[in-house]
Amino acid sequence: MQNRHAGRPGAAGCGTKAVHGRYGGRRLAAALLCAALAVAALGGLPAPVRAQAQGSQLPGGDYPDAQCTSPLRPFAGDKAWEWELYRQKMGAYRACVDAYVRRARADIEIIQGKIDRAVREYNREVTMP
């Protein structure tokens, strides 16, 4: 069956809605969703947890959002110290987003490892004489 999203600009694959962002949010969201769906299809967690999340292996059925808050930008005529404070807060905001992206990518690697292990175990059983 052909993916109806294939070839569409902005399509993230796996039927996901594209997530835009400087840090490759579209690819991150698509990878997380694809990995979670694959693990769910292979039955990685107990049935009650799967039922609770309605098909997702992620707790609550959704990956947590970044808890980073963008600072309010000063107005063009504001004082220099207000702009300096804004730049400092933007540095902290960027560090928060960078840390979120690092943790999310580490989660993707963990999920991908579990997927790979499940597929290897399945393939080993199927290919036994």
Side-chain angles (χ1 to χ4, degrees):
M1 186 166 145
Q2 186 175 357
N3 182 349
R4 65 186 180 97
H5 296 285
R8 277 188 28 204
C14 291
T16 62
K17 182 177 179 183
V19 178
H20 302 283
R22 177 177 179 166
Y23 295 94
R26 177 183 304 147
R27 288 178 34 200
L28 174 64
L32 282 173
L33 182 60
C34 291
L37 290 175
V39 171
L42 294 171
L45 292 178
V49 174
R50 283 196 308 272
Q52 175 190 359
Q54 298 181 359
S56 174
Q57 295 292 347
L58 297 171
D62 194 15
Y63 194 79
D65 292 331
Q67 300 299 311
C68 307
T69 305
S70 174
L72 295 175
R73 179 186 298 264
F75 293 107
D78 284 347
K79 298 187 183 331
W81 67 267
E82 291 174 300
W83 279 98
E84 182 58 33
L85 182 61
Y86 170 73
R87 283 189 281 280
Q88 290 173 6
K89 289 181 179 180
M90 280 300 294
Y93 177 50
R94 179 179 177 146
C96 179
V97 170
D98 286 343
Y100 174 78
V101 170
R102 278 193 310 276
R103 287 189 307 268
R105 287 185 175 149
D107 291 343
I108 290 171
E109 289 181 23
I110 291 168
I111 292 169
Q112 188 63 53
K114 291 180 183 238
I115 292 169
D116 293 344
R117 186 177 67 237
V119 169
R120 276 193 313 273
E121 289 172 4
Y122 172 80
N123 286 338
R124 186 174 44 240
E125 289 298 320
V126 171
T127 57
M128 291 185 75

